[in-house]
Short mmCIF file of all heavy atoms in Angstrom, two decimals:
data_model
loop_
_atom_site.label_atom_id
_atom_site.label_comp_id
_atom_site.label_asym_id
_atom_site.label_seq_id
_atom_site.Cartn_x
_atom_site.Cartn_y
_atom_site.Cartn_z
N LYS R 1880 73.68 -160.71 33.58
CA LYS R 1880 73.45 -161.68 34.60
C LYS R 1880 74.63 -162.61 34.72
O LYS R 1880 75.07 -163.00 35.85
CB LYS R 1880 72.18 -162.47 34.27
CG LYS R 1880 70.89 -161.69 34.43
CD LYS R 1880 69.71 -162.60 34.05
CE LYS R 1880 68.46 -161.91 34.18
NZ LYS R 1880 67.31 -162.63 33.84
N LEU R 1881 75.17 -163.08 33.69
CA LEU R 1881 76.42 -163.90 33.73
C LEU R 1881 77.59 -163.22 34.38
O LEU R 1881 78.19 -163.90 35.20
CB LEU R 1881 76.72 -164.35 32.40
CG LEU R 1881 75.72 -165.34 31.63
CD1 LEU R 1881 76.23 -165.65 30.12
CD2 LEU R 1881 75.74 -166.66 32.41
N GLN R 1882 77.80 -162.01 34.09
CA GLN R 1882 78.94 -161.31 34.79
C GLN R 1882 78.70 -161.18 36.31
O GLN R 1882 79.60 -161.42 37.08
CB GLN R 1882 79.10 -159.98 34.08
CG GLN R 1882 79.58 -159.94 32.65
CD GLN R 1882 79.66 -158.56 32.00
OE1 GLN R 1882 79.27 -157.51 32.71
NE2 GLN R 1882 80.10 -158.42 30.85
N LYS R 1883 77.51 -160.86 36.59
CA LYS R 1883 77.09 -160.67 38.04
C LYS R 1883 77.34 -162.07 38.71
O LYS R 1883 77.83 -162.06 39.88
CB LYS R 1883 75.79 -160.20 38.20
CG LYS R 1883 75.31 -159.86 39.63
CD LYS R 1883 74.04 -159.19 39.62
CE LYS R 1883 73.52 -158.93 41.07
NZ LYS R 1883 72.16 -158.32 41.11
N LEU R 1884 76.85 -163.12 38.02
CA LEU R 1884 76.88 -164.44 38.79
C LEU R 1884 78.33 -164.94 38.83
O LEU R 1884 78.73 -165.49 39.80
CB LEU R 1884 76.02 -165.49 37.81
CG LEU R 1884 75.97 -166.86 38.37
CD1 LEU R 1884 75.37 -166.94 39.76
CD2 LEU R 1884 75.25 -167.78 37.48
N ALA R 1885 79.16 -164.69 37.83
CA ALA R 1885 80.63 -165.01 37.89
C ALA R 1885 81.30 -164.28 39.02
O ALA R 1885 82.09 -164.89 39.84
CB ALA R 1885 81.23 -164.71 36.61
N LYS R 1886 80.93 -163.04 39.15
CA LYS R 1886 81.62 -162.31 40.19
C LYS R 1886 81.12 -162.79 41.65
O LYS R 1886 82.03 -162.90 42.47
CB LYS R 1886 81.28 -160.76 40.12
CG LYS R 1886 81.96 -159.84 41.07
CD LYS R 1886 81.65 -158.37 40.73
CE LYS R 1886 82.39 -157.43 41.69
NZ LYS R 1886 82.00 -156.10 41.46
N LYS R 1887 79.88 -163.12 41.74
CA LYS R 1887 79.39 -163.69 43.04
C LYS R 1887 80.02 -164.88 43.39
O LYS R 1887 80.39 -165.18 44.51
CB LYS R 1887 77.95 -163.73 42.95
CG LYS R 1887 77.24 -164.18 44.29
CD LYS R 1887 75.64 -164.11 44.00
CE LYS R 1887 75.01 -164.58 45.30
NZ LYS R 1887 73.48 -164.59 45.10
N MET R 1888 80.05 -165.91 42.42
CA MET R 1888 80.64 -167.15 42.65
C MET R 1888 82.16 -167.14 43.06
O MET R 1888 82.70 -167.91 43.82
CB MET R 1888 80.53 -168.05 41.44
CG MET R 1888 79.03 -168.47 41.12
SD MET R 1888 78.27 -169.38 42.44
CE MET R 1888 79.25 -170.88 42.31
N ASP R 1889 82.92 -166.13 42.39
CA ASP R 1889 84.28 -165.86 42.71
C ASP R 1889 84.46 -165.59 44.22
O ASP R 1889 85.26 -166.03 44.89
CB ASP R 1889 84.86 -164.95 41.75
CG ASP R 1889 86.41 -164.79 41.87
OD1 ASP R 1889 87.00 -165.84 42.55
OD2 ASP R 1889 86.95 -163.86 41.21
N HIS R 1890 83.74 -164.57 44.55
CA HIS R 1890 83.77 -163.96 45.97
C HIS R 1890 83.36 -165.07 46.93
O HIS R 1890 84.00 -165.29 48.00
CB HIS R 1890 82.89 -162.79 46.11
CG HIS R 1890 83.41 -161.69 45.38
ND1 HIS R 1890 82.73 -160.50 45.19
CD2 HIS R 1890 84.43 -161.42 44.63
CE1 HIS R 1890 83.38 -159.59 44.52
NE2 HIS R 1890 84.43 -160.08 44.18
N LEU R 1891 82.28 -165.94 46.60
CA LEU R 1891 81.86 -166.94 47.53
C LEU R 1891 82.95 -168.03 47.69
O LEU R 1891 83.15 -168.51 48.82
CB LEU R 1891 80.41 -167.52 46.95
CG LEU R 1891 79.92 -168.57 47.85
CD1 LEU R 1891 79.50 -167.97 49.19
CD2 LEU R 1891 78.61 -169.14 47.18
N GLU R 1892 83.46 -168.41 46.62
CA GLU R 1892 84.47 -169.52 46.73
C GLU R 1892 85.81 -169.11 47.51
O GLU R 1892 86.32 -169.85 48.26
CB GLU R 1892 84.90 -169.91 45.28
CG GLU R 1892 85.92 -171.05 45.13
CD GLU R 1892 85.22 -172.28 45.68
OE1 GLU R 1892 83.95 -172.48 45.70
OE2 GLU R 1892 85.93 -173.35 46.09
N ARG R 1893 86.20 -167.81 47.21
CA ARG R 1893 87.37 -167.26 47.99
C ARG R 1893 87.03 -167.19 49.47
O ARG R 1893 87.81 -167.62 50.32
CB ARG R 1893 87.58 -165.82 47.41
CG ARG R 1893 88.97 -165.32 47.92
CD ARG R 1893 89.18 -163.89 47.41
NE ARG R 1893 89.12 -163.81 45.95
CZ ARG R 1893 88.94 -162.78 45.34
NH1 ARG R 1893 88.74 -161.63 45.83
NH2 ARG R 1893 88.82 -162.91 43.91
N ALA R 1894 85.88 -166.70 49.84
CA ALA R 1894 85.41 -166.62 51.25
C ALA R 1894 85.40 -168.03 51.86
O ALA R 1894 85.85 -168.26 53.00
CB ALA R 1894 84.22 -165.88 51.42
N LYS R 1895 84.88 -168.98 51.15
CA LYS R 1895 84.78 -170.32 51.72
C LYS R 1895 86.11 -170.95 51.97
O LYS R 1895 86.27 -171.63 52.99
CB LYS R 1895 83.92 -171.18 50.70
CG LYS R 1895 83.55 -172.47 51.21
CD LYS R 1895 82.64 -173.27 50.35
CE LYS R 1895 83.36 -173.64 48.97
NZ LYS R 1895 82.54 -174.43 48.17
N ARG R 1896 87.01 -170.80 51.05
CA ARG R 1896 88.28 -171.41 51.19
C ARG R 1896 89.12 -170.62 52.34
O ARG R 1896 89.82 -171.38 53.16
CB ARG R 1896 89.12 -171.24 49.92
CG ARG R 1896 88.62 -172.11 48.82
CD ARG R 1896 89.39 -172.09 47.62
NE ARG R 1896 88.93 -172.97 46.53
CZ ARG R 1896 89.56 -173.22 45.44
NH1 ARG R 1896 90.62 -172.60 45.11
NH2 ARG R 1896 88.96 -173.89 44.44
N GLN R 1897 88.93 -169.41 52.53
CA GLN R 1897 89.67 -168.79 53.56
C GLN R 1897 89.04 -169.21 54.96
O GLN R 1897 89.84 -169.23 55.93
CB GLN R 1897 89.33 -167.16 53.49
CG GLN R 1897 90.13 -166.56 52.29
CD GLN R 1897 89.89 -165.12 52.22
OE1 GLN R 1897 89.16 -164.57 52.93
NE2 GLN R 1897 90.57 -164.35 51.24
N GLU R 1898 87.75 -169.42 55.07
CA GLU R 1898 87.13 -169.77 56.30
C GLU R 1898 87.48 -171.35 56.60
O GLU R 1898 87.51 -171.66 57.83
CB GLU R 1898 85.56 -169.55 56.26
CG GLU R 1898 85.23 -168.13 56.21
CD GLU R 1898 85.54 -167.40 57.57
OE1 GLU R 1898 85.64 -168.10 58.48
OE2 GLU R 1898 85.82 -166.23 57.44
N GLU R 1899 87.48 -172.17 55.66
CA GLU R 1899 87.61 -173.57 55.94
C GLU R 1899 89.14 -173.98 56.15
O GLU R 1899 89.29 -175.12 56.58
CB GLU R 1899 86.96 -174.38 54.85
CG GLU R 1899 87.80 -174.35 53.50
CD GLU R 1899 87.14 -175.11 52.36
OE1 GLU R 1899 86.07 -175.70 52.59
OE2 GLU R 1899 87.73 -175.17 51.33
N ALA R 1900 90.09 -173.19 55.74
CA ALA R 1900 91.53 -173.59 55.92
C ALA R 1900 91.94 -173.86 57.37
O ALA R 1900 92.34 -175.04 57.75
CB ALA R 1900 92.41 -172.54 55.38
N PRO R 1901 91.61 -172.90 58.41
CA PRO R 1901 92.01 -173.23 59.77
C PRO R 1901 91.12 -174.33 60.32
O PRO R 1901 91.58 -175.14 61.10
CB PRO R 1901 91.69 -171.87 60.47
CG PRO R 1901 90.70 -171.13 59.55
CD PRO R 1901 91.08 -171.56 58.27
N LEU R 1902 89.87 -174.48 59.84
CA LEU R 1902 89.01 -175.56 60.33
C LEU R 1902 89.54 -176.91 59.85
O LEU R 1902 89.58 -177.88 60.65
CB LEU R 1902 87.56 -175.31 59.93
CG LEU R 1902 86.83 -174.09 60.35
CD1 LEU R 1902 85.44 -173.91 59.76
CD2 LEU R 1902 86.87 -174.07 61.94
#
Side-chain angles (χ1 to χ4, degrees):
K1880 288 181 181 179
L1881 290 175
Q1882 291 178 359
K1883 186 176 180 181
L1884 182 62
K1886 187 176 180 180
K1887 184 177 179 181
M1888 293 297 294
D1889 188 13
H1890 291 172
L1891 183 62
E1892 185 66 24
R1893 188 182 306 163
K1895 186 174 69 173
R1896 293 187 180 182
Q1897 289 177 358
E1898 291 294 332
E1899 71 182 2
L1902 296 176

